[in-house]
Amino acid sequence: DAGVIQSPRHEVTEMGQEVTLRCKPISGHDYLFWYRQTMMRGLELLIYFNNNVPIDDSGMPEDRFSAKMPNASFSTLKIQPSEPRDSAVYFCASKPGPLDGNQPQHFGDGTRLSIL
Amino acid sequence: GEDVEQSLFLSVREGDSSVINCTYTDSSSTYLYWYKQEPGAGLQLLTYIFSNMDMKQDQRLTVLLNKKDKHLSLRIADTQTGDSAIYFCAETNILTGGGNKLTFGTGTQLKVEL
């Protein structure tokens, strides 16, 4: 089975540039999550979607961050303009809907983002 | 907010058992998880336990839950070098956010020595 697929795996860009991270969830999963991992703050939930609709974006740090899910198989996390403090590993995760019980989240391999 | 705490490092010899501990503050935690993260990779789900259980065993892994003390542990029997990784404890509460918001610990780096 294909897992959660993220692209790119690595991104290095200069501050002020727009960054777009992409995620393809596991087919049939109704929930999609975006996390950020840093040494200082650990794993933080940024936003999650249910059936393509954003449910909780309280973890999105600033207006520079935005996330979309135009269809069930694709989501983007965009940072515009990017800043050096946005450097982190960004993970996408997905899980099935509640009809399958409270199933755990499955994570992608992450995008390692470096803003110079 | 809720908090999950883990010790940062654990070193064991190959073949020994490893015990990674986790404490949490949410007395209403419903599900507790253990994830493994290898260098450069994402989080791999190892096992999880529902809060009405005390123990769960899956091959070399044993999870123990003490709800009274809000303490979760992961025991890895016959630890191998391939078990070297960071192990994250996480909890969620069905009553808040439908069990979708995970609170993660800081992670325990397990080093297996020959």
Side-chain angles (χ1 to χ4, degrees):
Chain A
D1 288 342
V4 176
I5 299 171
Q6 293 186 245
S7 64
R9 290 297 314 276
H10 303 273
E11 174 94 9
V12 180
T13 192
E14 293 185 345
M15 66 176 292
Q17 298 297 307
E18 178 179 289
V19 173
T20 300
L21 311 181
R22 297 172 176 80
C23 176
K24 177 178 167 54
I26 293 173
S27 178
H29 282 193
D30 293 341
Y31 289 87
L32 183 140
F33 305 81
W34 282 102
Y35 289 87
R36 180 172 65 176
Q37 184 180 37
T38 60
M39 288 293 291
M40 291 297 294
R41 300 174 68 90
L43 273 157
E44 303 173 279
L45 176 65
L46 300 177
I47 185 172
Y48 77 92
F49 295 82
N50 180 24
N51 292 322
N52 314 338
V53 176
I55 302 301
D56 187 335
D57 65 354
S58 59
M60 295 286 262
E62 304 170 30
D63 291 346
R64 298 184 297 106
F65 285 70
S66 63
K68 293 182 179 179
M69 192 164 186
N71 58 63
S73 58
F74 183 66
S75 176
T76 59
L77 178 68
K78 191 171 291 189
I79 309 172
Q80 167 63 19
S82 58
E83 296 183 5
R85 60 194 168 116
D86 301 330
S87 298
V89 182
Y90 291 81
F91 288 105
C92 178
S94 70
K95 76 169 207 175
L99 292 179
D100 294 312
N102 191 48
Q103 295 295 317
Q105 298 177 24
H106 296 265
F107 284 74
D109 285 338
T111 294
R112 186 172 297 273
L113 177 64
S114 296
I115 308 297
L116 305 176
Chain B
E2 303 306 337
D3 196 24
V4 177
E5 293 193 355
Q6 302 177 238
S7 54
L8 292 180
F9 299 103
L10 176 65
S11 180
V12 300
R13 288 186 183 274
E14 187 178 39
D16 288 349
S17 292
S18 308
V19 180
I20 303 171
N21 295 301
C22 169
T23 58
Y24 57 96
T25 58
D26 186 357
S27 57
S28 299
S29 290
T30 317
Y31 288 90
L32 296 118
Y33 304 85
W34 284 105
Y35 283 88
K36 175 185 180 183
Q37 185 179 30
E38 297 185 45
L43 277 73
Q44 173 195 352
L45 176 71
L46 289 178
T47 187
Y48 64 103
I49 190 168
F50 187 50
S51 58
N52 68 352
M53 299 168 65
D54 297 325
M55 186 184 87
K56 182 178 180 180
Q57 188 153 1
D58 184 1
Q59 298 183 338
R60 291 191 299 124
L61 305 179
T62 303
V63 178
L64 294 177
L65 174 60
N66 182 327
K67 280 193 70 175
K68 175 175 171 290
D69 295 338
K70 301 195 198 90
H71 182 266
L72 182 75
S73 68
L74 174 69
R75 178 177 179 269
I76 307 173
D78 187 24
T79 312
Q80 303 297 308
T81 54
D83 295 324
S84 293
I86 301 176
Y87 290 79
F88 289 93
C89 170
E91 64 89 21
T92 190
N93 183 337
I94 288 289
L95 299 177
T96 56
N100 292 311
K101 299 187 78 167
L102 292 179
T103 301
F104 283 89
T106 53
T108 299
Q109 174 126 29
L110 174 64
K111 182 178 178 183
V112 182
E113 298 176 328
L114 296 173

